[in-house]
C-alpha cells in the first residue's frame, strides 16, 4: 500500500524545492495519516510530480498580485480516495484542457517543456491504476486536477 499523506508531502517538498520563492507549495491538512491506496508508488509519485510541477509553472504566470499557491490534498468519499492538485495560476478552460493530455502538446515555449507531463500523468492515473481524472478551472482562481 501507498501512504498518501507521506507521498503528498514528498511531492510537495520536491515541488517547493524547485519553485521560485514567491510560490508556496502546501499540503491541505485534511489528509488522514492512515490514508493508504494500493498503487504503484513510483508511478503515482511521478504523475503527481508532473501535476505539481505544472502547477508551480502556472503560478509563475500570475501577474495580478494574487497569491501564488499550489495545494495538494487527499480526502475520501465513501470508498473513493480523491487527490487534488490545485494552483492559483491563470485559468485554463477545462474544455480545452483535454487537448493538453495528448503527447507533445504544450502551451509552453519549446525550452520549457516537452508536452509529455500531462499525457504521462493521465496514462498512469487512467490506464495504470484504472482511476479517473478531471479538471476544474475558475477564472481568477486557478485550476484543480482531481484524481479518483
Amino acid at each position: 500500500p501507498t501512504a498518501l499523506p507521506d507521498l503528498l508531502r514528498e511531492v510537495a517538498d520536491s515541488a517547493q524545492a524547485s519553485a521560485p520563492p514567491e510560490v508556496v507549495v502546501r499540503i491541505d491538512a485534511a489528509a488522514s495519516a492512515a490514508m493508504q491506496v494500493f498503487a504503484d508508488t513510483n508511478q503515482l509519485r511521478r504523475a503527481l510530480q508532473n501535476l505539481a510541477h505544472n502547477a508551480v509553472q502556472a503560478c509563475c504566470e500570475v501577474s495580478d498580485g494574487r497569491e501564488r499557491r499550489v495545494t495538494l490534498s487527499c480526502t475520501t468519499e465513501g470508498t473513493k480516495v480523491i487527490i487534488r492538485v490545485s494552483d492559483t495560476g491563470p485559468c485554463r478552460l477545462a474544455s480545452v484542457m483535454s487537448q493538453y493530455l495528448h503527447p507533445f502538446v504544450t502551451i509552453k515555449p519549446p525550452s520549457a517543456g516537452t508536452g509529455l507531463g500531462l499525457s504521462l500523468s493521465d496514462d498512469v492515473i487512467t490506464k495504470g491504476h484504472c482511476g479517473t481524472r478531471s479538471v476544474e478551472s475558475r477564472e481568477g482562481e486557478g485550476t484543480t486536477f482531481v484524481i479518483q
Side-chain angles (χ1 to χ4, degrees):
T2 298
L4 284 179
D6 294 343
L7 181 59
L8 291 183
R9 171 55 49 209
E10 182 183 331
V11 170
D13 289 348
S14 174
Q16 187 66 72
S18 67
E22 62 272 13
V23 177
V24 175
V25 181
R26 69 181 191 92
I27 300 285
D28 188 321
S32 166
M35 193 177 298
Q36 295 187 351
V37 294
F38 288 101
D40 181 316
T41 304
N42 291 327
Q43 284 186 3
L44 188 55
R45 176 185 301 112
R46 188 69 188 137
L48 293 173
Q49 285 174 330
N50 283 332
L51 295 175
H53 179 71
N54 283 354
V56 166
Q57 288 180 325
C59 285
C60 291
E61 296 176 28
V62 171
S63 60
D64 61 4
R66 282 184 290 136
E67 180 182 15
R68 298 174 180 195
R69 183 183 66 247
V70 175
T71 304
L72 290 87
S73 66
C74 60
T75 56
T76 58
E77 284 183 13
T79 59
K80 290 183 182 180
V81 172
I82 301 167
I83 301 171
R84 288 182 173 83
V85 179
S86 303
D87 67 65
T88 58
C91 177
R92 305 278 189 237
L93 295 176
S95 60
V96 295
M97 282 302 293
S98 63
Q99 68 182 309
Y100 300 122
L101 297 174
H102 298 290
F104 306 110
V105 175
T106 184
I107 59 170
K108 299 174 192 171
S111 62
T114 61
L116 289 174
L118 288 179
S119 174
L120 292 173
S121 294
D122 193 55
D123 282 352
V124 166
I125 294 160
T126 61
K127 295 177 183 169
H129 292 86
C130 299
T132 62
R133 177 255 333 125
S134 61
V135 181
E136 302 168 353
S137 292
R138 294 164 305 284
E139 188 68 40
E141 295 180 33
T143 302
T144 299
F145 278 85
V146 181
I147 301 165
Q148 295 186 42

